[in-house]
Amino acid sequence: MFTKVLVAEDYEIANQGIIKILNEKLDIHNIQEAKYCDDAYLKFRKAHQDQEEFQLLITDLSFKEDHKIQTRTSGIELIKDIRSIQPHIKVIVYSQENRPDKINMLFNKFHINGYVCKGQQAVKELITCINGVHEGKIMQPPELINSSHTSMTIQLDDLDMILLEELAQGFTKKEIRIKLKKQKISPNSESAIDKRVSRLFDYFKAKNSTHLVAIVKDLGLV
């Protein structure tokens, strides 16, 4: 079982609930907690520098604002920054978010190891999730497994992500095409880009580029 865990959760009740599960149900006692992503990251960096790395990160997705200016304001940003230093740390997201598309994005883009939705079955599901992740399994929640949306989820490739990121920065399709040609990224024809963007519009049910950018930002894709 894991012996050192970092918990990032800003609600005291949820925070203490996770720690109680780790202590009493899983016999894990080397736990550090943080109520803000920046604090969690600092604790992670210190442990990494001391060569006493955390084996598991359990984090929420959203954190309430505080009077202090925060560099990292979401669990996604925390995951990205921690994984950039310690790529193989196990990550479990513990959140109220139950949208299958957003949960699936976390597995596909950020390669999280497990997800638990807060709710009536959260204690049981968190224990199962931690055990499964420790065994090397990818632990998807029932909300994703049982969703009819799962089989319809779009598989975004590198070009799709480039298009979304460029659109999010305000570039037009014509400007993107020029950039792709300069970078020798293909396909880069006008028709190919039009087809790609139209496919993204259809999948995300976006009315225009602005609407598409708003949707993918909400999902954490860009």
Side-chain angles (χ1 to χ4, degrees):
M1 180 48 67
F2 298 110
T3 57
K4 189 170 185 179
V5 178
L6 176 61
V7 177
E9 168 61 65
D10 58 351
Y11 283 97
E12 186 68 24
I13 293 176
N15 192 315
Q16 294 306 310
I18 295 171
I19 292 172
K20 184 175 181 179
I21 291 170
L22 294 173
N23 283 333
E24 298 180 5
K25 303 295 184 180
L26 298 169
D27 198 30
I28 301 172
H29 301 284
N30 191 354
I31 306 163
Q32 291 191 35
E33 57 184 293
K35 294 183 179 179
Y36 299 99
C37 293
D38 282 353
D39 291 341
Y41 182 73
L42 290 174
K43 291 182 178 183
F44 162 79
R45 284 300 300 266
K46 185 178 188 307
H48 183 77
Q49 291 168 358
D50 293 343
Q51 297 185 338
E52 298 176 352
E53 295 179 335
F54 290 100
Q55 300 164 331
L56 172 65
L57 167 68
I58 301 175
T59 182
D60 198 349
L61 289 177
S62 59
F63 291 76
K64 62 180 181 291
E65 294 183 2
D66 188 66
H67 62 279
K68 293 190 291 184
I69 297 175
Q70 301 290 327
T71 303
R72 300 160 194 84
T73 58
S74 72
I76 289 177
E77 292 173 308
L78 178 63
I79 293 168
K80 288 169 64 177
D81 287 348
I82 285 180
R83 278 273 178 81
S84 70
I85 297 172
Q86 189 179 330
H88 302 299
I89 187 173
K90 303 295 185 182
V91 175
I92 293 174
V93 172
Y94 184 61
S95 172
Q96 291 181 336
E97 178 62 66
N98 62 2
R99 289 169 52 186
D101 51 359
K102 189 161 188 175
I103 296 172
N104 196 64
M105 175 274 298
L106 292 167
F107 283 99
N108 287 340
K109 184 178 180 184
F110 298 105
H111 308 292
I112 66 170
N113 304 94
Y115 193 101
V116 176
C117 291
K118 295 176 181 178
Q120 293 182 344
Q121 302 299 318
V123 171
K124 180 181 177 181
E125 289 178 8
L126 184 57
I127 294 171
T128 301
C129 185
I130 294 171
N131 281 321
V133 169
H134 182 259
E135 293 171 2
K137 300 175 183 176
I138 300 298
M139 302 299 293
Q140 297 181 337
E143 288 81 358
L144 184 58
I145 296 171
N146 299 331
S147 172
S148 60
H149 293 83
T150 303
S151 60
M152 299 168 57
T153 302
I154 191 171
Q155 295 298 315
L156 301 177
D157 60 21
D158 291 341
L159 182 56
D160 290 323
M161 294 307 303
I162 290 172
L163 291 175
L164 289 173
E165 288 167 1
E166 294 294 328
L167 289 170
Q169 292 179 42
F171 292 104
T172 64
K173 288 188 287 184
K174 182 178 179 181
E175 290 170 330
I176 295 171
R177 179 166 58 85
I178 293 171
K179 291 182 71 173
L180 292 179
K181 282 190 173 182
K182 286 182 178 179
Q183 297 171 22
K184 297 182 179 180
I185 298 173
S186 60
N188 54 35
S189 69
E190 185 175 349
S191 61
I193 292 174
D194 282 340
K195 287 178 181 178
R196 288 273 185 154
V197 174
S198 294
R199 185 171 69 96
L200 293 171
F201 280 178
D202 290 341
Y203 176 75
F204 290 107
K205 296 180 174 60
K207 299 176 182 177
N208 50 47
S209 296
T210 302
H211 190 203
L212 175 64
V213 169
I215 292 169
V216 296
K217 281 187 174 181
D218 182 53
L219 291 173
L221 288 172
V222 296

